[in-house]
């Protein structure tokens, strides 16, 4: 693919790609954060799967802005509309189009950013590559792009529940310097109600309060913090993933790291496993009471040799502090003039409580299940 740098030379013709994921269960997201709306087109969904807008809405409500004082105050209902692929409450097998209108745009908040690049945003790199960018809210680099993923993930969730009973859960395990000890969460019994029991979505009440306090402390100063989301997948079919380049953990990393603001990924024992010896780290096999081959421990994170072994898959995704903050920062304009910029707009002091939707993982698992 051709590329170009922001110079005095004419821009080369560049094809904007990267909005489609999957081969068997294929999803394309569309729309900008302050345009008419956002959404997705889902191709490859089997026919006769019960599906309604309500199935998607419950998931969209979980990522909706304006939920609490520790999220962006932007007020969007994020009401979805299915315009194709569903008839009389069941899928037809044809492409499913889902759209969510933007109703609370404030494009004028970004007027001064039309000439200056916001620090750590995609403003500069989009300009370097394409020579044009959507100034209002960052366009495709905005977290509102994930609405299409959430809607498509709701479809994948229904398919996987019907096919294998696969369940994906995610929770906040770190906010800034507050780290939830792993032993305080039982991945075998964790429920969605436990995750949703507080505004920070940490299943431990004591640590949830500490995380909320940490986010509040920077929010009132116009600053932001990052954190970590732990995601688990239960009832995973054995045999997902392939050796070498298509290893399951590599595919999971791609799905997770395509989310906005992500900066790190690990699964199983992750980096902590480097402190163990082989005898300490190895997951020994045994045969359970049902004659099924299992592992006594799960430091492999449910994946060995790039292929799922049937144990719980667990992974952790690190999110950076929100780039747009209410404090003055140094930057440059498109014509290379150094200036000071105070960004406006409505943004999360910490993206982690809204960034934990496991729908990207549902999309991946659904795609891999179809490829078996």
């Amino acid at each position: 693919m051709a590329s170009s740098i922001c110079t005095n030379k004419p821009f080369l013709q560049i094809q904007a790609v990267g909005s489609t994921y999957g081969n068997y269960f294929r999803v394309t997201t569309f729309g900008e954060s302050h345009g008419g709306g956002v959404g997705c087109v889902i191709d490859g969904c089997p026919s006769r799967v019960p599906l309604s807008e309500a199935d998607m809405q419950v998931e969209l409500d979980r990522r909706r802005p304006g939920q609490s004082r520790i999220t962006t105050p932007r007020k969007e209902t994020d009401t979805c509309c299915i315009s194709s692929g569903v008839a009389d409450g069941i899928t037809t097998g044809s492409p499913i189009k889902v759209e969510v209108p933007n109703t609370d745009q404030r494009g004028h908040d970004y007027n001064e950013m039309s000439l200056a690049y916001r620090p750590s945003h995609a403003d500069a790199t989009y300009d370097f590559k394409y020579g044009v960018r959507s100034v209002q809210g960052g366009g495709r680099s905005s977290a509102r792009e994930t609405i299409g993923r959430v809607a498509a993930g709701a479809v994948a969730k229904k398919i996987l529940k019907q096919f294998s009973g696969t369940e994906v859960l995610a929770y906040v395990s770190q906010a800034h310097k507050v780290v939830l000890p792993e032993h305080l969460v039982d991945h075998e019994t964790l429920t969605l109600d436990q995750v949703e029991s507080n505004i920070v979505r940490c299943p431990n009440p004591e640590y949830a309060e500490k995380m909320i306090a940490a986010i509040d402390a920077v929010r009132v100063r116009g600053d932001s913090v990052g954190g970590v989301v732990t995601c688990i997948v239960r009832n995973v079919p054995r045999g997902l993933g392939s050796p070498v380049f298509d290893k399951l953990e590599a595919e999971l990393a791609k799905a997770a790291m395509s989310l906005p603001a992500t900066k790190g990924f690990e699964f199983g024992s992750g980096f902590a496993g480097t402190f163990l010896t082989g005898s300490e780290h190895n997951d020994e096999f045994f045969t359970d009471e049902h004659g099924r081959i299992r592992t006594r421990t799960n430091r492999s994170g449910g994946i060995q040799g790039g292929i799922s072994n049937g144990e719980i898959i667990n992974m952790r995704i690190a999110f950076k502090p929100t780039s747009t903050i209410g404090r003055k920062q140094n930057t440059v304009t498109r014509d290379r003039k150094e200036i000071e910029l105070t960004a406006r707009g409505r943004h999360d002091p910490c993206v982690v409580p809204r960034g934990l939707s496991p729908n990207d993982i549902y999309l991946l698992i659904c795609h891999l299940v179809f490829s078996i």
Side-chain angles (χ1 to χ4, degrees), residues 223-245:
D223 216 332
S224 64
V225 293
V228 175
V229 167
T230 295
C231 182
I232 64 170
V233 190
R234 297 192 292 228
N235 296 322
V236 184
R238 292 180 174 183
L240 298 183
S242 302
V244 194
F245 293 113

Side-chain angles (χ1 to χ4, degrees), residues 95-216:
I96 301 169
K97 181 185 178 185
V98 185
E99 187 161 9
V100 173
N102 293 327
T103 60
D104 190 25
Q105 310 100 311
R106 291 187 189 174
H108 60 273
D109 283 349
Y110 300 89
N111 288 342
E112 71 271 28
M113 301 175 205
S114 61
L115 298 178
Y117 301 129
R118 293 170 295 174
S120 286
H121 269 278
D123 300 348
T125 51
Y126 272 41
D127 225 358
F128 297 161
K129 184 175 179 67
Y130 300 112
V132 64
R133 61 187 173 91
S134 176
V135 175
Q136 290 80 15
R140 291 292 287 162
S141 66
S142 167
R144 278 192 74 71
E145 178 274 334
T146 62
I147 283 178
R149 307 180 193 218
V150 172
V155 180
K157 181 177 182 178
K158 295 211 71 171
I159 295 171
L160 290 174
K161 184 176 181 179
Q162 178 177 310
F163 179 85
S164 61
T166 301
E167 181 183 23
V168 185
L169 288 171
Y171 61 91
V172 176
S173 53
Q174 178 182 338
H176 196 33
K177 298 179 181 179
V178 181
V179 181
L180 174 66
E182 289 186 18
H183 70 274
L184 294 183
V185 181
D186 185 349
H187 289 171
E188 296 281 354
T189 61
L190 180 67
T191 66
L192 182 60
D193 286 342
Q194 288 176 304
V195 175
E196 293 291 317
S197 64
N198 54 74
I199 60 176
V200 78
R201 289 179 170 141
C202 170
N204 181 279
E206 178 186 351
Y207 277 85
E209 289 302 316
K210 294 179 181 179
M211 292 178 183
I212 294 169
I215 297 171
D216 273 337

Side-chain angles (χ1 to χ4, degrees), residues 270-283:
F271 288 102
T274 63
F275 294 102
L276 304 178
T277 62
S279 59
E280 294 170 323
H281 189 272
N282 287 345
D283 296 317

Side-chain angles (χ1 to χ4, degrees), residues 31 72 84 119 152 261:
T72 169
S84 68

